[in-house]
Amino acid sequence: MSNTLLRHLRALGERTAAGLKQRWRTLQHVTLSPSRIGDIARATLVLNGIWK
């Protein structure tokens, strides 16, 4: 693989990890039931275009 492709893949992975880390911090402060938290997390992923 070329260095450019590896840099691109690594940057994508790092951005994804940072986004998940921020979302996890946010969800730790939610006091809803676990099923409602899952619904909110899925809705957030859909709105952000991540959920398939």
Coordinates of all heavy atoms in Angstrom, one line a residue:
M1 N 0.8 -1.2 0.0 CA 0.0 0.0 0.0 C 0.9 1.2 0.0 O 1.9 1.3 0.6 CB -0.9 0.0 1.2 CG -2.0 -0.9 1.2 SD -3.1 -0.6 2.6 CE -4.5 -1.5 2.1
S2 N 0.4 2.2 -0.6 CA 1.2 3.5 -0.7 C 1.0 4.2 0.7 O 0.0 4.0 1.4 CB 0.7 4.4 -1.8 OG -0.6 4.9 -1.5
N3 N 2.0 5.1 1.0 CA 1.9 5.9 2.2 C 0.7 6.8 2.2 O 0.1 7.0 3.3 CB 3.2 6.7 2.3 CG 4.4 5.9 2.7 OD1 4.2 4.8 3.3 ND2 5.6 6.3 2.4
T4 N 0.3 7.3 1.1 CA -0.9 8.2 1.0 C -2.1 7.5 1.5 O -2.9 8.0 2.2 CB -1.1 8.8 -0.4 OG1 0.1 9.4 -0.8 CG2 -2.2 9.7 -0.4
L5 N -2.3 6.3 0.9 CA -3.5 5.5 1.3 C -3.5 5.1 2.8 O -4.5 5.2 3.5 CB -3.6 4.2 0.5 CG -4.7 3.2 0.7 CD1 -6.1 4.0 0.6 CD2 -4.6 2.0 -0.2
L6 N -2.3 4.7 3.3 CA -2.2 4.4 4.7 C -2.5 5.6 5.6 O -3.2 5.5 6.6 CB -0.8 3.8 5.0 CG -0.5 2.4 4.4 CD1 0.9 2.1 4.7 CD2 -1.4 1.4 5.1
R7 N -2.0 6.8 5.2 CA -2.3 8.0 6.0 C -3.8 8.3 6.0 O -4.3 8.7 7.0 CB -1.5 9.2 5.4 CG -0.1 9.3 5.9 CD 0.5 10.7 5.6 NE 0.1 11.2 4.3 CZ 0.9 11.2 3.2 NH1 2.1 10.6 3.3 NH2 0.5 11.7 2.0
H8 N -4.4 8.1 4.8 CA -5.8 8.4 4.7 C -6.6 7.4 5.6 O -7.5 7.9 6.3 CB -6.3 8.2 3.3 CG -7.8 8.4 3.1 ND1 -8.4 9.6 3.2 CD2 -8.7 7.5 2.8 CE1 -9.7 9.4 3.0 NE2 -9.9 8.1 2.8
L9 N -6.3 6.2 5.6 CA -7.0 5.2 6.4 C -6.8 5.4 7.9 O -7.7 5.3 8.7 CB -6.6 3.8 6.0 CG -7.0 3.3 4.6 CD1 -6.4 1.9 4.3 CD2 -8.5 3.2 4.6
R10 N -5.6 5.8 8.2 CA -5.3 6.0 9.6 C -6.0 7.3 10.1 O -6.6 7.3 11.2 CB -3.8 6.2 9.8 CG -3.4 6.5 11.3 CD -1.9 6.6 11.5 NE -1.7 6.9 12.8 CZ -0.5 7.1 13.3 NH1 0.6 7.1 12.5 NH2 -0.3 7.4 14.6
A11 N -6.1 8.3 9.3 CA -6.8 9.5 9.7 C -8.3 9.3 9.8 O -8.9 9.7 10.8 CB -6.6 10.6 8.6
L12 N -8.8 8.5 8.9 CA -10.3 8.1 9.0 C -10.5 7.3 10.3 O -11.5 7.6 11.0 CB -10.7 7.3 7.8 CG -12.1 6.8 7.8 CD1 -13.0 8.0 7.7 CD2 -12.3 5.9 6.5
G13 N -9.7 6.4 10.6 CA -9.8 5.6 11.9 C -9.7 6.5 13.1 O -10.4 6.3 14.1
E14 N -8.8 7.4 13.1 CA -8.6 8.3 14.3 C -9.8 9.2 14.4 O -10.2 9.5 15.6 CB -7.3 9.1 14.1 CG -6.1 8.2 14.3 CD -4.8 9.0 14.1 OE1 -4.8 10.2 13.8 OE2 -3.7 8.4 14.2
R15 N -10.3 9.7 13.3 CA -11.5 10.6 13.4 C -12.7 9.8 14.0 O -13.5 10.3 14.8 CB -11.9 11.2 12.1 CG -11.1 12.4 11.7 CD -11.7 13.1 10.5 NE -11.9 12.3 9.3 CZ -11.0 12.1 8.4 NH1 -9.8 12.7 8.4 NH2 -11.3 11.3 7.4
T16 N -12.9 8.6 13.5 CA -14.0 7.8 14.0 C -13.8 7.5 15.5 O -14.8 7.6 16.2 CB -14.0 6.4 13.2 OG1 -14.1 6.7 11.8 CG2 -15.1 5.6 13.6
A17 N -12.6 7.1 15.9 CA -12.4 6.8 17.3 C -12.6 8.1 18.2 O -13.2 8.0 19.3 CB -10.9 6.3 17.5
A18 N -12.2 9.2 17.7 CA -12.5 10.5 18.5 C -14.0 10.7 18.6 O -14.4 11.1 19.6 CB -11.8 11.6 17.8
G19 N -14.7 10.5 17.5 CA -16.1 10.7 17.5 C -16.8 9.8 18.5 O -17.7 10.2 19.3
L20 N -16.4 8.5 18.5 CA -17.0 7.5 19.4 C -16.7 7.9 20.8 O -17.5 7.7 21.7 CB -16.6 6.1 19.0 CG -17.1 5.6 17.7 CD1 -16.5 4.2 17.4 CD2 -18.6 5.4 17.8
K21 N -15.5 8.3 21.1 CA -15.1 8.7 22.4 C -15.9 9.8 23.0 O -16.4 9.8 24.1 CB -13.6 9.1 22.4 CG -13.0 9.3 23.8 CD -11.5 9.6 23.7 CE -10.9 9.8 25.0 NZ -9.5 10.1 25.0
Q22 N -16.2 10.8 22.1 CA -17.0 12.0 22.5 C -18.4 11.5 22.8 O -19.1 11.9 23.8 CB -17.0 13.1 21.5 CG -17.8 14.3 21.9 CD -17.3 14.9 23.2 OE1 -16.1 15.1 23.4 NE2 -18.2 15.3 24.0
R23 N -19.0 10.7 21.9 CA -20.3 10.2 22.1 C -20.5 9.4 23.4 O -21.4 9.5 24.1 CB -20.8 9.3 20.9 CG -21.1 10.2 19.7 CD -21.7 9.3 18.6 NE -21.9 10.1 17.4 CZ -21.0 10.3 16.4 NH1 -19.8 9.7 16.5 NH2 -21.4 11.0 15.4
W24 N -19.5 8.6 23.7 CA -19.5 7.7 24.9 C -19.5 8.6 26.1 O -20.3 8.4 27.1 CB -18.3 6.8 25.0 CG -18.3 6.0 26.2 CD1 -17.4 6.1 27.2 CD2 -19.2 4.9 26.6 NE1 -17.7 5.2 28.2 CE2 -18.8 4.5 27.8 CE3 -20.3 4.4 26.0 CZ2 -19.5 3.5 28.5 CZ3 -21.0 3.3 26.6 CH2 -20.5 2.9 27.9
R25 N -18.7 9.7 26.1 CA -18.7 10.6 27.3 C -20.1 11.3 27.5 O -20.5 11.4 28.6 CB -17.7 11.8 27.0 CG -16.4 11.6 27.8 CD -15.5 12.8 27.7 NE -14.3 12.4 27.0 CZ -13.7 13.0 26.0 NH1 -14.2 14.1 25.5 NH2 -12.7 12.5 25.5
T26 N -20.7 11.6 26.4 CA -22.0 12.2 26.4 C -23.0 11.2 27.0 O -23.9 11.5 27.9 CB -22.5 12.7 25.0 OG1 -21.5 13.6 24.6 CG2 -23.8 13.3 25.1
L27 N -23.0 10.0 26.5 CA -24.0 9.0 26.9 C -23.8 8.6 28.4 O -24.8 8.1 29.0 CB -23.9 7.7 26.0 CG -24.5 7.9 24.6 CD1 -24.2 6.7 23.8 CD2 -25.9 8.2 24.7
Q28 N -22.6 8.7 29.0 CA -22.4 8.4 30.4 C -23.2 9.3 31.3 O -23.5 8.9 32.4 CB -20.9 8.5 30.7 CG -20.1 7.4 30.2 CD -18.6 7.5 30.5 OE1 -18.1 8.7 30.6 NE2 -18.0 6.4 30.7
H29 N -23.6 10.4 30.8 CA -24.4 11.4 31.7 C -25.9 11.3 31.5 O -26.6 12.0 32.1 CB -23.9 12.8 31.4 CG -22.5 13.0 31.7 ND1 -22.0 13.0 33.0 CD2 -21.4 13.1 30.9 CE1 -20.6 13.1 33.0 NE2 -20.3 13.2 31.7
V30 N -26.4 10.4 30.6 CA -27.8 10.2 30.4 C -28.4 9.3 31.4 O -27.8 8.3 31.7 CB -28.0 9.6 29.0 CG1 -29.5 9.4 28.7 CG2 -27.5 10.6 27.9
T31 N -29.5 9.7 32.0 CA -30.1 8.9 33.0 C -31.4 8.2 32.6 O -32.3 7.9 33.4 CB -30.5 9.8 34.2 OG1 -31.3 10.8 33.8 CG2 -29.2 10.4 34.9
L32 N -31.5 7.9 31.3 CA -32.6 7.1 30.8 C -32.4 5.6 30.8 O -31.3 5.2 31.2 CB -32.8 7.5 29.3 CG -33.1 9.0 29.0 CD1 -33.1 9.2 27.5 CD2 -34.5 9.3 29.5
S33 N -33.4 4.9 30.5 CA -33.2 3.4 30.5 C -32.3 3.0 29.4 O -32.2 3.7 28.4 CB -34.6 2.7 30.3 OG -35.0 2.9 29.0
P34 N -31.6 1.9 29.5 CA -30.7 1.5 28.5 C -31.3 1.4 27.1 O -30.6 1.7 26.1 CB -30.2 0.1 29.0 CG -30.3 0.2 30.5 CD -31.6 1.0 30.7
S35 N -32.5 0.9 27.0 CA -33.1 0.8 25.7 C -33.4 2.2 25.0 O -33.2 2.3 23.8 CB -34.4 0.0 25.7 OG -35.4 0.7 26.5
R36 N -33.7 3.1 25.8 CA -33.9 4.5 25.3 C -32.6 5.1 24.9 O -32.5 5.8 23.9 CB -34.6 5.4 26.3 CG -36.0 5.1 26.6 CD -36.9 5.4 25.4 NE -36.9 6.8 25.0 CZ -37.1 7.2 23.8 NH1 -37.3 6.4 22.8 NH2 -37.0 8.5 23.5
I37 N -31.5 4.8 25.6 CA -30.2 5.3 25.3 C -29.8 4.7 23.9 O -29.2 5.4 23.1 CB -29.1 4.9 26.4 CG1 -29.4 5.8 27.6 CG2 -27.7 5.2 25.9 CD1 -28.6 5.3 28.8
G38 N -30.1 3.4 23.7 CA -29.8 2.8 22.4 C -30.5 3.4 21.3 O -30.0 3.6 20.2
D39 N -31.8 3.7 21.5 CA -32.6 4.4 20.5 C -32.0 5.8 20.2 O -31.9 6.1 19.0 CB -34.1 4.6 21.0 CG -34.8 3.3 21.2 OD1 -34.4 2.3 20.6 OD2 -35.8 3.3 21.9
I40 N -31.6 6.5 21.2 CA -31.0 7.8 20.9 C -29.7 7.7 20.2 O -29.4 8.5 19.3 CB -30.8 8.6 22.3 CG1 -32.2 8.9 22.8 CG2 -30.0 9.8 22.1 CD1 -32.2 9.4 24.3
A41 N -28.9 6.7 20.6 CA -27.6 6.5 19.9 C -27.8 6.1 18.5 O -27.1 6.7 17.6 CB -26.8 5.4 20.6
R42 N -28.8 5.3 18.2 CA -29.0 4.9 16.8 C -29.5 6.1 16.0 O -29.1 6.3 14.8 CB -30.0 3.7 16.7 CG -29.4 2.4 16.9 CD -30.4 1.3 16.7 NE -31.4 1.2 17.7 CZ -31.3 0.7 18.9 NH1 -30.1 0.2 19.3 NH2 -32.3 0.7 19.7
A43 N -30.4 6.9 16.6 CA -30.9 8.1 15.9 C -29.8 9.1 15.6 O -29.7 9.7 14.5 CB -32.0 8.8 16.7
T44 N -28.9 9.2 16.5 CA -27.7 10.1 16.3 C -26.9 9.6 15.2 O -26.4 10.4 14.3 CB -26.9 10.2 17.6 OG1 -27.7 10.6 18.7 CG2 -25.7 11.1 17.4
L45 N -26.6 8.3 15.1 CA -25.8 7.7 14.0 C -26.5 7.9 12.7 O -25.8 8.2 11.7 CB -25.5 6.2 14.3 CG -24.6 6.0 15.5 CD1 -24.6 4.5 15.8 CD2 -23.2 6.5 15.3
V46 N -27.8 7.7 12.7 CA -28.6 7.9 11.4 C -28.4 9.4 11.0 O -28.2 9.7 9.8 CB -30.0 7.5 11.6 CG1 -30.9 8.0 10.4 CG2 -30.2 6.0 11.7
L47 N -28.6 10.3 11.9 CA -28.5 11.7 11.5 C -27.1 12.1 11.1 O -27.0 13.0 10.3 CB -29.0 12.6 12.7 CG -30.5 12.5 13.1 CD1 -30.7 13.2 14.3 CD2 -31.3 13.0 11.9
N48 N -26.1 11.4 11.6 CA -24.8 11.7 11.2 C -24.3 10.9 10.0 O -23.2 11.0 9.5 CB -23.8 11.4 12.3 CG -23.8 12.5 13.4 OD1 -24.0 13.7 13.1 ND2 -23.8 12.1 14.6
G49 N -25.2 10.1 9.5 CA -24.9 9.3 8.2 C -24.0 8.1 8.4 O -23.4 7.6 7.5
I50 N -23.9 7.6 9.7 CA -23.0 6.5 9.9 C -23.7 5.2 9.9 O -23.2 4.2 9.4 CB -22.3 6.7 11.3 CG1 -21.4 8.0 11.3 CG2 -21.4 5.5 11.7 CD1 -20.9 8.4 12.6
W51 N -24.9 5.1 10.4 CA -25.6 3.8 10.5 C -26.0 3.4 9.2 O -26.5 4.1 8.3 CB -26.9 4.1 11.4 CG -27.6 2.8 11.8 CD1 -28.6 2.3 11.2 CD2 -27.2 2.0 12.9 NE1 -29.0 1.1 11.8 CE2 -28.1 0.9 12.8 CE3 -26.2 2.0 13.8 CZ2 -28.1 -0.1 13.8 CZ3 -26.2 1.0 14.7 CH2 -27.1 -0.1 14.7
K52 N -25.9 2.1 8.9 CA -26.2 1.5 7.6 C -27.4 0.7 7.7 O -27.7 0.1 8.6 CB -25.0 0.6 7.1 CG -23.7 1.4 7.2 CD -23.2 1.5 5.8 CE -21.8 2.2 5.9 NZ -21.4 2.9 5.0

